[in-house]
Amino acid sequence: PSAMTTNPFLHEVLLQLGPLAITTPVVTTWGVMLALVLGAAWLRSRLSVRTPGRVQALVETAFELVQSEMRSTMHTDPAPFLPMIATLFIFILTANLSGLIPGVDPPTAALETDLVLALAVFAAVLGWGIRRRGLWGYLRSYAQPSLLVLPLNLIEALTRIVSMSVRLFGNIMSGVVISTVVLGLAGLIVPVPFMALELLTGLIQAYIFTVLAMVFIAAAASESSETE
């Protein structure tokens, strides 16, 4: 097993650039992003308005499902939020499923990767809240309905970051550990059901993380819009 599988907080350093350490999760993340960029470029080259192919039809159906889920969850027009939400879901799902490749540990099994994703959602919440209500108006919302609840609201905001990152990390990391142990004990054939379970877990965790992001962003946007 790799260094990350043995200890989730210690990763193998592949390259040291001064104080910056390039670890295995970083390289894997780059690989996931490169695969997504190449896949998007390939898909774009096959888009057609007159004669859409099967792949295009499948992608359009998937995006319609995403927009439908966003409408039912966020109760608003999904268009402004679609780029981030769709990108978040596609990246997390691809990162989770990268663990099915032999010898590859998913980057979402590294706590720092999940923490960055949670921070990105937190930044989006702040961004939409400030955009809809203004800086002072959004910051003042943390002191509503009373100034006494300000510490609790700040703690809640920080707790969201921790809970989102730890939930994703724990579920993906546990799948990696179980697959590694079973693979070491039983060989290549028996772990196939565990790989199917890991596939399902990766899909569910990407969905849960994205739905939480939708809920938090919609709450910030709707609260601010209601007061305008």
Side-chain angles (χ1 to χ4, degrees), residues 133-156:
R133 193 172 183 180
L135 178 59
W136 173 245
Y138 179 73
L139 294 179
R140 190 173 55 185
S141 67
Y142 282 90
Q144 294 178 355
S146 170
L147 187 61
L148 297 176
V149 301
L150 176 61
L152 296 178
N153 288 334
L154 292 177
I155 292 175
E156 180 188 8

Side-chain angles (χ1 to χ4, degrees), residues 105-120:
D105 285 322
T108 44
L111 183 58
E112 57 267 33
T113 303
D114 305 325
L115 181 59
V116 170
L117 292 171
L119 287 173

Side-chain angles (χ1 to χ4, degrees), residues 51-63:
T51 57
R54 294 181 180 179
V55 176
Q56 180 177 342
L58 179 62
V59 172
E60 290 178 351
T61 301
F63 269 91

Side-chain angles (χ1 to χ4, degrees), residues 167-181:
R167 179 186 291 109
L168 181 59
F169 165 74
N171 284 279
I172 301 303
M173 187 63 198
S174 62
V176 172
V177 172
I178 293 175
S179 298
T180 302
V181 172

Side-chain angles (χ1 to χ4, degrees), residues 13 15-23 26 30:
V13 177
L15 180 63
Q16 189 74 36
L17 300 176
L20 182 62
I22 307 300
T23 61
V26 173
W30 290 347

Side-chain angles (χ1 to χ4, degrees), residues 51-164:
T51 57
R54 294 181 180 179
V55 176
Q56 180 177 342
L58 179 62
V59 172
E60 290 178 351
T61 301
F63 269 91
E64 289 177 1
L65 291 176
V66 171
Q67 292 184 77
S68 176
E69 181 66 28
M70 292 177 65
R71 288 191 187 94
S72 61
T73 302
M74 305 180 76
H75 304 289
T76 186
D77 179 19
F81 313 99
L82 181 61
M84 178 179 180
I85 296 299
T87 301
L88 196 64
F89 177 77
I90 293 172
F91 173 79
I92 296 177
L93 178 61
T94 307
N96 291 347
L97 300 185
S98 66
L100 297 175
I101 303 175
V104 175
D105 285 322
T108 44
L111 183 58
E112 57 267 33
T113 303
D114 305 325
L115 181 59
V116 170
L117 292 171
L119 287 173
V121 174
F122 179 72
V125 171
L126 290 178
W128 279 104
I130 294 173
R131 179 178 179 180
R132 294 289 180 86
R133 193 172 183 180
L135 178 59
W136 173 245
Y138 179 73
L139 294 179
R140 190 173 55 185
S141 67
Y142 282 90
Q144 294 178 355
S146 170
L147 187 61
L148 297 176
V149 301
L150 176 61
L152 296 178
N153 288 334
L154 292 177
I155 292 175
E156 180 188 8
L158 296 176
T159 302
R160 290 177 179 178
I161 300 175
V162 176
S163 63
M164 291 181 72

